[in-house]
Amino acid sequence: MAETPFSLVCTIARADATDIQAMRDSLVSETESQRRDQKTFSFRLDEANAKDLRAMWNTRIRGLIAADEILQAIETAGSSTKDDSKEA
């Protein structure tokens, strides 16, 4: 990849390998990512100017936040289902 004046590398880590894969998958249409290990991945953004880099960063982070919120909702729903089954 050609060098550009503005670059950013973001590394994401999660305790759960399944969650990290889901978060990585959420970016598949936005950017390439590299898996570092079972619980970590990173992606790089390169832009010609700072304004574009900021916009690309915001887009990726919003996607990751949305993916994280969905994972938390799924985990919460799963734990409440388990709690309900104990009461039956």
Side-chain angles (χ1 to χ4, degrees):
M1 176 175 279
E3 288 294 316
T4 57
F6 297 93
S7 298
L8 177 141
V9 175
C10 180
T11 301
I12 307 294
R14 291 289 295 252
D16 186 305
T18 304
D19 285 356
I20 202 68
Q21 186 60 46
M23 293 187 79
R24 185 175 178 212
D25 290 346
S26 75
L27 293 175
V28 73
S29 66
E30 302 289 333
T31 191
E32 290 183 30
S33 64
Q34 293 73 42
R35 185 170 150 178
R36 301 223 172 183
D37 58 42
Q38 291 291 330
K39 298 178 181 180
T40 309
F41 77 93
S42 65
F43 63 91
R44 179 183 176 110
L45 301 174
D46 297 290
E47 293 296 332
N49 62 62
K51 183 178 178 182
D52 289 344
L53 181 64
R54 183 190 58 78
M56 293 303 205
W57 167 256
N58 286 341
T59 299
R60 300 321 181 269
I61 293 304
R62 283 188 196 113
L64 288 169
I65 290 168
D68 183 59
E69 289 174 353
I70 290 168
L71 289 169
Q72 288 180 24
I74 291 168
E75 290 168 4
T76 299
S79 67
S80 68
T81 301
K82 290 177 188 171
D83 291 344
D84 292 345
S85 66
K86 289 178 184 177
E87 294 174 12

